């Protein structure tokens, strides 16, 4: 790996661009400015577009008639690094160990963006220009639902006209196996607050006389699933499109033992999920209801005999074709209201929402992506769906009328969103090749 590539990578990773926390707003701006400078440096016309949130970096080459126009999309924001004490080296002080770079964002999405940028850089250096018209859009709010990006797309819809979008923010099925993802789950979020008494109470003086908000919340949350892992919200599965036979067949033949890998990677004592589906089917083609956070009552050292006034939980639902996020939220509200135990009140606040995505991996663009992947990796391409979400991808279709090719470089053990996130330099290297190849394929 060239030293200047590593220098770029480490500089990019040193910005703590945590989009969810206002304390880092200035750091996101600095990170975006660094990208602008880097992209201008490789010869692209680049601007920083402000939004009501974090700015968008938008770079272009000189567009010429008669060429395909390609948009490359990624994000420079990252998830919070917490819990910090579980990191073996500081999250924003990247280190290279045994061929892997460790830092928050190493994979998701800075390493993968750098593969795009260096692929563009090498192509321009070798050919004087790119073989296609390019829009490179790098946003700073993907990890918080891309709330301001649809506005950017609408506002610049005419200038942003393109034939296809390329994204490298998804996974590889196994090390060294080129992977084209043709589906993403969607996600929709809500937060709930349960309140009992107007203040925290002495549990001896009042215990037994009034409802405990934490107990009520626990009982309520326990109604979300049945004992076999199926979501118990009425109507939740009504719009779920059954898996196609060809997909079930193809996923069975993928070169991995999904069950074994997930057990090893997660350290969970056993697999668990909705009955009647394989692990990959549950991850890629079935919806879920998850409790992402729960709180209430005394959490300090020792004991405190108290009945807490409030308890809260954060929920998200992963969505699959053809579920509708708003409808799922409505059904969830109804379920929570119906099952709220007596003696407490509840407030529900809806959060961000992003739709699922499903495209045809055998379209002309899909075939071009497969050729580029095969050329770069020298191996057969795995066709998969993903459990994760990239909210803006369905809007590329709705607003710009184009499909998205998801050519990810993330490995299952990359620890995205977890402590000790990492990215193998081998994937940066092959990612640069893949990016050069996809430009060439799309130009044909
Ligand atoms: N890169 C991920 C999405 C992803 C992960 C796709 C794994 C495929 C496989 C992305 O940065 C992400 O984490 N998205 C969030 C979106 C949410 C905050 C709206 C997600 O999926 O939780
Ligand atoms: Zn992410």
């Amino acid at each position: 790996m060239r030293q200047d590539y590593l220098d770029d990578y480490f500089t990019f990773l040193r910005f703590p661009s945590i989009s969810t926390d206002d304390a880092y707003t200035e750091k996101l701006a600095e990170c975006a400015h660094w990208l602008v400078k880097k992209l201008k440096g490789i010869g692209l016309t680049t601007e920083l577009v402000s939004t009501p949130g974090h700015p968008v970096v938008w770079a272009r080459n000189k567009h010429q008639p008669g060429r395909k126009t390609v948009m490359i999309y990624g994000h420079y924001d990252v998830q919070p690094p917490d819990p910090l004490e579980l990191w073996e080296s500081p999250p924003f002080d990247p280190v290279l160990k045994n061929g892997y770079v460790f830092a928050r964002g190493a994979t998701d999405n800075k390493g993968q963006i750098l593969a795009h940028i260096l692929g563009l850089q090498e192509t321009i250096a070798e050919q004087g220009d790119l073989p296609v018209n390019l829009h490179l859009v790098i946003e700073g709010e993907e990890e918080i639902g891309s709330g301001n990006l649809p506005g950017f797309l609408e506002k610049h819809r005419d200038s942003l006209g393109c034939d296809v979008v390329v994204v490298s923010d998804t996974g590889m099925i196994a090390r060294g196996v080129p992977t084209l993802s043709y589906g993403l789950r969607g996600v929709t979020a809500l937060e709930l607050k349960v309140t009992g008494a107007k203040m925290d109470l002495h549990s001896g003086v009042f215990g037994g006389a009034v409802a405990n908000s934490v107990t009520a919340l626990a009982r309520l949350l326990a109604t979300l699933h049945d004992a076999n892992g199926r979501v118990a919200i009425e109507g939740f599965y009504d719009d779920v499109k059954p898996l196609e036979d060809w997909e079930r067949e193809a996923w069975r033949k993928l070169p991995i033992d999904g069950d074994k890998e997930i057990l090893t990677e997660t350290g969970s004592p056993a697999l668990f999920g909705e009955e009647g589906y394989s692990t990959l089917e549950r991850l890629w083609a079935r919806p879920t209801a998850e409790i992402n956070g729960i709180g209430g009552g005394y959490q300090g050292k020792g004991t405190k005999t108290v009945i807490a006034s409030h308890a809260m939980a954060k929920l998200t639902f992963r969505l699959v074709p053809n579920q509708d996020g708003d409808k799922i939220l409505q059904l969830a509200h109804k379920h929570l209201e119906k099952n709220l135990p007596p003696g407490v009140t509840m407030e529900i606040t809806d959060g961000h929402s992003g739709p699922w995505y499903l495209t045809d991996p055998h379209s002309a663009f899909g075939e071009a992506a497969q050729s580029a992947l095969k050329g770069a990796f020298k191996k057969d391409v795995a066709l998969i769906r993903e459990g994760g979400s990239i909210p803006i991808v369905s809007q590329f279709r709705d607003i710009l009328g184009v499909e998205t090719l998801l050519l990810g470089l993330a490995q299952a053990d990359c620890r995205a969103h977890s402590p000790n996130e990492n990215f193998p330099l081998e994937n940066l290297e092959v990612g640069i090749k893949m990016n050069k190849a996809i430009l060439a394929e799309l130009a044909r």
Side-chain angles (χ1 to χ4, degrees):
M1 175 71 40
R2 278 168 51 169
Q3 187 59 44
D4 56 333
Y5 288 4
L6 266 185
D7 292 345
D8 278 342
Y9 191 22
F10 277 39
T11 305
F12 195 11
L13 290 171
R14 282 195 189 102
F15 296 102
S17 46
I18 307 164
S19 51
T20 198
D21 186 342
D22 291 345
Y24 293 91
T25 301
E26 197 50 42
K27 299 294 174 194
L28 276 106
E30 285 171 20
C31 185
H33 277 288
W34 179 80
L35 280 170
V36 170
K37 193 163 152 235
K38 169 73 197 168
L39 294 168
K40 282 185 175 166
I42 68 171
L44 299 173
T45 305
T46 310
E47 55 186 298
L48 194 59
V49 183
S50 53
T51 74
H54 304 299
V56 175
V57 177
W58 180 11
R60 279 167 279 190
N61 60 347
K62 195 165 182 319
H63 287 194
Q64 290 171 23
R67 297 200 302 196
K68 285 265 165 27
T69 302
V70 178
M71 180 188 294
I72 296 177
Y73 160 83
H75 62 98
Y76 64 84
D77 64 321
V78 298
Q79 291 267 337
D82 315 64
L84 283 175
E85 65 280 10
L86 296 184
W87 284 79
E88 277 166 31
S89 53
F92 297 106
D93 194 358
V95 292
L96 175 60
K97 252 193 294 184
N98 305 325
Y100 287 74
V101 171
F102 288 81
R104 169 56 84 235
T107 291
D108 186 5
N109 176 231
K110 290 175 173 173
Q112 301 185 83
I113 295 206
L114 195 67
H116 286 303
I117 295 176
L118 296 175
L120 296 168
Q121 177 175 330
E122 288 194 5
T123 308
I124 295 172
E126 284 160 16
Q127 302 172 18
D129 188 11
L130 303 171
V132 297
N133 299 331
L134 172 79
H135 289 291
L136 173 58
V137 173
I138 311 176
E139 71 152 320
E141 301 190 313
E142 194 273 347
E143 299 290 4
I144 49 172
S146 297
N148 290 300
L149 202 61
F152 168 84
L153 297 179
E154 307 262 11
K155 186 162 172 208
H156 302 284
R157 186 204 311 254
D158 294 337
S159 329
L160 283 171
C162 56
D163 296 292
V164 67
V165 182
V166 174
V167 176
S168 187
D169 193 20
T170 47
M172 282 164 63
I173 189 73
R175 189 173 167 195
V177 178
T179 304
L180 179 64
S181 302
Y182 59 92
L184 295 163
R185 286 197 288 192
V187 62
T188 189
L190 66 80
E191 196 168 328
L192 56 115
K193 186 173 160 190
V194 168
T195 305
K198 65 181 175 190
M199 63 210 168
D200 289 6
L201 303 172
H202 189 299
S203 66
V205 178
F206 296 100
V210 293
N212 179 318
S213 63
V214 181
T215 312
L217 177 65
R219 282 181 58 195
L220 177 59
L221 295 178
T223 67
L224 284 171
H225 298 91
D226 70 14
N228 298 319
R230 206 175 146 84
V231 178
I233 297 174
E234 205 181 314
F236 187 76
Y237 293 98
D238 282 1
D239 298 326
V240 172
K241 178 167 134 58
L243 199 63
E244 305 271 347
D245 287 341
W246 75 265
E247 292 184 286
R248 183 164 283 137
E249 211 31 53
W251 295 355
R252 214 176 283 139
K253 290 194 202 128
L254 285 170
I256 48 156
D257 180 343
D259 290 16
K260 201 169 130 223
E261 280 187 26
I262 287 166
L263 278 177
T264 314
E265 179 53 25
T266 60
S268 297
L271 293 166
F272 178 74
E274 192 189 356
E275 265 188 353
Y277 298 88
S278 75
T279 304
L280 292 180
E281 288 167 8
R282 284 189 219 139
L283 285 174
W284 297 344
R286 300 295 295 169
T288 60
E290 297 292 353
I291 302 164
N292 301 124
I294 182 167
Y298 181 66
Q299 318 220 341
K301 284 211 175 101
T303 54
K304 185 179 183 201
T305 47
V306 71
I307 298 173
S309 164
H310 302 290
M312 57 72 65
K314 288 173 187 276
L315 310 187
T316 51
F317 301 90
R318 291 283 166 177
L319 311 172
V320 300
N322 293 313
Q323 285 179 305
D324 174 73
D326 291 335
K327 182 171 166 195
I328 292 300
L329 281 180
Q330 273 175 22
L331 293 175
H333 278 236
K334 218 167 127 190
H335 175 94
L336 293 167
E337 276 149 21
K338 194 173 104 194
N339 289 283
L340 184 68
V344 295
T345 59
M346 173 176 61
E347 250 175 85
I348 305 177
T349 314
D350 292 342
H352 59 68
S353 190
W356 48 266
Y357 183 69
L358 191 63
T359 190
D360 175 12
H362 302 296
S363 68
F365 286 128
E367 295 292 346
Q370 292 192 48
S371 302
L373 283 165
K374 200 164 180 180
F377 285 86
K378 313 276 179 244
K379 267 203 192 146
D380 283 339
V381 179
L383 301 180
I384 69 166
R385 290 206 229 165
E386 293 280 6
S389 310
I390 307 177
I392 202 65
V393 168
S394 75
Q395 316 248 15
F396 290 141
R397 179 187 280 165
D398 295 344
I399 299 174
L400 303 176
V402 292
E403 296 301 298
T404 298
L405 301 170
L406 299 160
L407 299 86
L409 298 166
Q411 297 195 165
D413 59 358
C414 71
R415 308 249 160 130
H417 297 203
S418 300
N420 303 309
E421 179 174 352
N422 61 82
F423 191 56
L425 284 185
E426 136 191 327
N427 284 18
L428 182 58
E429 220 146 323
V430 73
I432 297 171
K433 281 193 200 144
M434 171 185 92
N435 274 283
K436 293 165 80 172
I438 187 75
L439 295 175
E441 285 293 337
L442 292 174
R444 278 173 199 262

